[in-house]
Amino acid sequence: MITRWCLLWLAFPAWADEGVFDQYRDLMGDDNPAIFVIDEGEEFWYQSQGPSGATLEACDLGLGAGVTRGAYAQFPRYFADTDRVMDIETRLIHCMETLQGRDRTVTAAKPYSLRGDFGTELEALVTWLAAESEGVVIAPEQGHPKERAMYALGEEIFFYRAGPHDFSCATCHEQSDKRIRLQQLPNLTDHHDAADAYGSWPAYRMSQGLVRTMGWRLQDCFRQQRWPGLTFGSEVSIALQTYMAVNAAGGIMTAPGLKR
Amino acid sequence: MNKTEKGRVSRRRLLNWVALLSTAVALPARAWAAVTRPDTAFDATALDQALMALGETPTRHEGVIFTTPDIAENGAVVPIRVEVDQTVLPNVSKVYVLVEMNPNPLAAVFDIASGTEVYIETRVKVAQTGNLYAVVESDGQLFMASRETKVTLGGCGG
Amino acid sequence: MKTTLWKMTLLLGIGIAPTAVSEDLAAVIQASFSDRGQATLLRLEQDPLQQHCSQPRDQPVDDEIAMALRQQRLDAVVFPADGDFLGDWQRGATVAASGRGLQFNDDPSIANGGNCYACHQLAPSEVAYGTLGPSLTQYGLRGQSDAMLRYTWTKLWDTHAFNLCSHMPRFGAQKILDEQQLKDVMAFLLDPNSSVNQPTE
Amino acid sequence: MAGRIKIRAQKKGEMTEVKALMRHPMETGMRKDQAGESIPAHFITDVAVLHGDQPVMQAHWGAAVSANPFLGVRFQGGQAGDAVRVVWTDNQGGTGEGETTIR
């Protein structure tokens, strides 16, 4: 029996730990197709669009009009001009509306790619802006009472169990070193795990051939939680991003990542 | 570099690219004038059918060095590498990659210029757990290596 | 983490009272979602069990409430009408492997899966298993006594009867699986011929 | 969106190693979109790697090559500063081209 176990161990040493896909990832190398999407996003930023024929260059992402370097790493944050806490996706929709005169019912109608699509404008912009924060310390603003309220709300929602399966975010994401099937699960209540996970989105999803954003990741989590559809730019979406970003604060932005 | 400059660079890059493309459109046709696409093999829906379309049944040969992951995180993207040890298997002119369980097993064929190393890396779709084959043509004969790759199921949705 | 952060917030005197958030919580959640396919907003309304179990792991439910809840769950378990607990282990293996069902994009006319492998190791031949739950490989070694059958059935039907606030879904009580599927999963776990109970090699 | 290629060409001893990433959906024609409609087949059929004007590798691909394809090849010779090009055509008549110099 002991010999048998040893043989098993020799034959499949990687299966018992998190190195299960190391060989696969070594073969993949660091060639991440997200680099195309970064370029596309940059072009969208400088492209004149909408009734006003304006670019997004005057968009204030929190660090002043047109400042893109490091801006992603400080979202979600409070904006006085809208009197609300916004994630980067809703802020971009706001800029498209105010600067370019584009109707938000159109720009926000389909923020994320569906099956068979090959990327949306919003996905490209967010990917480029994340790349503009590569290597930057994650430092979401928490100075405004509304920002702190968003964190508190995010924490409540994180543990809220509902639906036919009784799932909450915490079901999969409040313990360390766990996996679902073979997929490692980050413990989002833990600083190091939260920093690694939050800092790696947006990410190129190999299974879909697309870059996906943090907003999309949340929508898809809720689908798998058997909840109804999460509304783009909703309180829950921004609150959970705030909860994750604050838990990740001090970590480094590495996005765009490369994921299963 | 401030943002406005960066934007200009980006637009200039785009223009360059468009100019390049227009001069290059004719290139592919010229480049593979000598090589016809093996349509019958590509259309085959079973492994033996595809191999038959390539000619004789390939012989296993240790000179074909085929690297695939034992277990793939995702069947949509499975990285593969084909190398040939030319000391034991010289004059390789073609490399075929086949995936046993795919609807059309033949995934790709590579024509290698003579007098160069055989080294190819790419990523293929693998529908389900099964064997992958690297078949090479050397002096008109076919040789191969095969490897099993397990394709795992994803997260919560199964 | 939650407690520490709250203490910090209260200490600094800049927080919003947690009760205020809680009162608004259900309304905020309702406003952030919309009906999609079979997944309607009704799913967001918590039953008492979900309400009491929406706490971090380090904040257990009050003992008295916990006892009452556990008893209530235990009393509500429905055992097989014909007294036969064991179905077909091979069909059970299929249920254990399928993760589909009840998502807004799932076709409700196709049977749900149990998605057991998402969290548990079962047949040693399946390497893609999760670790959120304990390994159930060789579960059949526990035998098929009446007590064992009833215990296992109850765990599948409503795990909270024994293990309050477990992360495992209530497969029977919430009608995720039907009676026959539950019997098949029982056989998958307990039948000596089942792939779960084969030696690891 | 199609057409783009990112290329690196690096001297490795006697050999030159070329790595290219192409922007392409590589649709098999067997998938359905969200509405249940078939997504038409759209994939790169022909790829060539050229050193100057000389093809060093030519390939025919099926739809089983992954989306946003990656290609790595090595060829004999090549000097720092030489041009390396990758070109492709797809089944819908689309083309792509990328160029770099050997480092």
Side-chain angles (χ1 to χ4, degrees), chain B residues 24 31-32 37 111 116 122 125, chain D residues 26 46 58 61 64 76 97:
Chain B
W32 34 81
R37 185 181 174 85
D111 285 84
T116 196
T122 189
K125 298 168 193 163
Chain D
M26 300 299 286
D46 299 292
Q58 298 166 238
W61 283 356
Q76 196 82 40
E97 142 118 28

Side-chain angles (χ1 to χ4, degrees), chain A residues 21 25 29-30 95 99 112 123 127 131 138 142 160 177 187 190 196 211 213 215 220 232 246 253 259:
Chain A
F21 292 124
R25 289 188 184 134
D30 56 358
C95 286
L99 299 173
Y112 312 126
E123 285 164 348
T127 306
I138 300 165
Q142 281 285 286
Y160 189 94
D177 304 319
N187 176 356
D190 170 80
D196 285 352
V211 169
T213 67
D220 207 52
F232 172 78
V246 172
M253 285 298 302
K259 294 178 192 284

Side-chain angles (χ1 to χ4, degrees), chain B residues 14 17 20-21 23-25 27-28 30-38 42 76-78 83 99 102-104 106-113 115-125, chain D residues 2-4 15 17 19 21 26-28 30 43 45-48 50 53 55-67 70-76 85 87-89 95-97 99:
Chain B
L14 186 68
W17 174 78
L20 260 176
L21 185 64
T23 60
V25 167
L27 247 173
R30 192 182 73 198
W32 34 81
V35 190
T36 46
R37 185 181 174 85
F42 270 113
V77 183
V78 177
E83 296 162 89
V99 183
N102 280 359
N104 300 108
L106 181 60
V109 45
F110 300 85
D111 285 84
I112 318 288
T116 196
E117 187 177 351
V118 179
Y119 181 97
I120 285 164
E121 285 180 282
T122 189
R123 299 167 189 167
V124 296
K125 298 168 193 163
Chain D
R4 296 171 193 221
M15 312 297 297
E17 183 177 79
K19 290 187 173 205
L21 257 175
M26 300 299 286
E27 280 296 344
T28 58
M30 293 177 218
F43 58 95
T45 53
D46 299 292
V47 188
L50 301 105
D53 270 345
V56 293
M57 198 278 316
Q58 298 166 238
H60 298 289
W61 283 356
V65 173
S66 304
F70 172 78
L71 176 65
V73 294
R74 289 179 183 175
F75 67 88
Q76 196 82 40
R85 273 198 282 185
V87 294
W88 58 252
T89 55
T95 61
E97 142 118 28
E99 179 170 331

Side-chain angles (χ1 to χ4, degrees), chain B residues 46-67:
Chain B
L47 181 73
D48 51 354
Q49 210 185 346
L51 288 174
M52 221 172 346
L54 301 181
E56 57 180 319
T57 309
T59 319
R60 267 177 209 284
H61 198 296
E62 60 178 15
V64 183
I65 304 156
F66 189 30
T67 313

Side-chain angles (χ1 to χ4, degrees), chain A residues 19-221:
Chain A
V20 67
F21 292 124
D22 283 358
Q23 179 203 24
Y24 173 83
R25 289 188 184 134
D26 283 352
L27 267 168
M28 283 297 297
D30 56 358
D31 291 283
N32 186 345
I35 54 174
F36 295 116
V37 185
I38 295 173
D39 285 0
E40 285 157 16
E42 185 184 12
E43 281 157 24
F44 277 125
W45 182 262
Y46 293 106
Q47 186 180 320
S48 302
Q49 287 199 81
S52 317
T55 71
L56 290 171
E57 283 168 281
C59 180
D60 181 359
L61 297 171
L63 303 179
V67 180
T68 55
R69 180 76 194 151
Y72 186 104
Q74 295 189 16
F75 274 92
R77 66 189 302 155
Y78 173 80
F79 287 89
D81 56 4
T82 55
D83 189 32
R84 58 173 299 211
V85 178
M86 302 172 96
D87 64 353
I88 197 160
E89 300 178 22
T90 45
R91 187 63 186 172
L92 283 166
I93 298 292
H94 170 78
C95 286
M96 290 175 190
E97 187 173 37
T98 53
L99 299 173
Q100 301 180 318
R102 296 162 74 188
D103 183 351
R104 74 163 48 229
T105 60
V106 176
T107 51
K110 193 183 155 190
Y112 312 126
S113 294
L114 301 176
R115 205 169 351 138
D117 293 342
F118 205 45
T120 65
E121 178 182 357
L122 193 71
E123 285 164 348
L125 282 165
V126 171
T127 306
W128 174 60
L129 288 167
E132 286 281 282
S133 279
E134 197 182 342
V136 173
V137 174
I138 300 165
E141 281 295 324
Q142 281 285 286
H144 194 279
K146 288 197 173 181
E147 290 167 338
R148 293 192 294 274
M150 265 301 181
Y151 178 86
L153 177 64
E155 185 175 48
E156 293 265 347
I157 296 159
F158 187 82
F159 293 99
Y160 189 94
R161 296 181 72 167
H165 285 58
D166 308 326
F167 288 155
S168 65
C169 308
T171 306
C172 289
H173 295 294
E174 72 163 325
Q175 299 175 79
S176 299
D177 304 319
K178 298 289 181 187
R179 33 174 244 239
I180 186 157
R181 286 280 188 169
L182 281 175
Q183 205 58 37
Q184 283 303 124
L185 293 164
N187 176 356
L188 297 173
T189 67
D190 170 80
H191 165 68
H192 290 286
D193 267 20
D196 285 352
Y198 184 82
S200 65
W201 290 89
Y204 183 81
R205 283 294 294 264
M206 293 183 280
S207 50
Q208 303 169 16
L210 286 164
V211 169
R212 293 303 200 175
T213 67
M214 196 73 240
W216 173 87
R217 178 59 271 179
L218 287 175
Q219 287 198 348
D220 207 52
C221 275

Side-chain angles (χ1 to χ4, degrees), chain B residues 8-142:
Chain B
R8 290 207 188 101
V9 170
S10 170
R11 278 189 294 271
R12 196 156 57 229
R13 210 164 56 206
L14 186 68
L15 286 175
N16 278 342
W17 174 78
V18 171
L20 260 176
L21 185 64
S22 56
T23 60
V25 167
L27 247 173
R30 192 182 73 198
W32 34 81
V35 190
T36 46
R37 185 181 174 85
D39 284 323
T40 318
F42 270 113
D43 292 342
T45 52
L47 181 73
D48 51 354
Q49 210 185 346
L51 288 174
M52 221 172 346
L54 301 181
E56 57 180 319
T57 309
T59 319
R60 267 177 209 284
H61 198 296
E62 60 178 15
V64 183
I65 304 156
F66 189 30
T67 313
T68 69
D70 295 322
I71 182 163
E73 205 168 344
N74 193 312
V77 183
V78 177
I80 60 157
R81 184 161 64 219
V82 184
E83 296 162 89
V84 171
D85 179 352
Q86 292 178 83
T87 59
V88 291
L89 189 56
N91 301 329
V92 168
S93 57
K94 274 184 202 291
V95 174
Y96 300 92
V97 177
L98 299 102
V99 183
E100 181 183 17
M101 302 306 279
N102 280 359
N104 300 108
L106 181 60
V109 45
F110 300 85
D111 285 84
I112 318 288
S114 59
T116 196
E117 187 177 351
V118 179
Y119 181 97
I120 285 164
E121 285 180 282
T122 189
R123 299 167 189 167
V124 296
K125 298 168 193 163
V126 178
Q128 52 178 296
T129 297
N131 287 321
L132 275 66
Y133 293 82
V135 177
V136 307
E137 189 180 312
S138 162
D139 294 324
Q141 280 188 291
L142 297 181

